[in-house]
């Protein structure tokens, strides 16, 4: 059914999004941050350091759409 297909497409999109988040993190030099879900909460496999989160925040603040 259509709902099942929509759910599978959503899971595929989220998976690709998380993959892209991890690739971008490495590109930005954030070697101690890893995402397994888009919000970064409620999963033991998500990890980050305060230093990498601070670097990410500093980078985000340079983006006028983010501010």
């Amino acid at each position: 059914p259509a709902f099942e297909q929509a759910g599978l497409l959503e899971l595929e999109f989220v998976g690709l999004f998380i993959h892209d988040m991890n690739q971008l993190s490495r590109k930005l030099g954030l070697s101690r941050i890893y995402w397994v879900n888009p919000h970064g909460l409620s999963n033991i496999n998500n990890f980050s350091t305060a230093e990498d989160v601070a670097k990410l925040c500093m980078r985000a603040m340079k983006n006028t759409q983010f501010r």
Side-chain angles (χ1 to χ4, degrees):
F3 287 116
E4 288 178 18
Q5 289 176 333
L8 290 174
L9 285 174
E10 182 179 4
L11 285 175
E12 183 177 339
F13 174 78
V14 170
L16 291 173
F17 179 71
I18 293 167
H19 174 76
D20 289 348
M21 286 172 49
N22 286 316
Q23 278 193 322
L24 181 59
S25 295
R26 300 301 166 265
K27 183 179 175 183
L28 295 174
L30 308 175
S31 61
R32 292 168 297 196
I33 193 166
Y34 183 77
W35 312 90
V36 293
N37 55 38
H39 49 73
L41 302 173
S42 305
N43 191 305
I44 196 166
N45 295 316
N46 283 321
F47 64 85
S48 61
T49 62
E51 180 181 6
D52 276 357
V53 172
K55 288 178 184 177
L56 184 61
C57 290
M58 288 170 48
R59 174 85 178 199
M61 292 305 291
K62 292 178 182 179
N63 183 325
T64 57
Q65 289 181 320
F66 180 82
R67 284 187 282 150

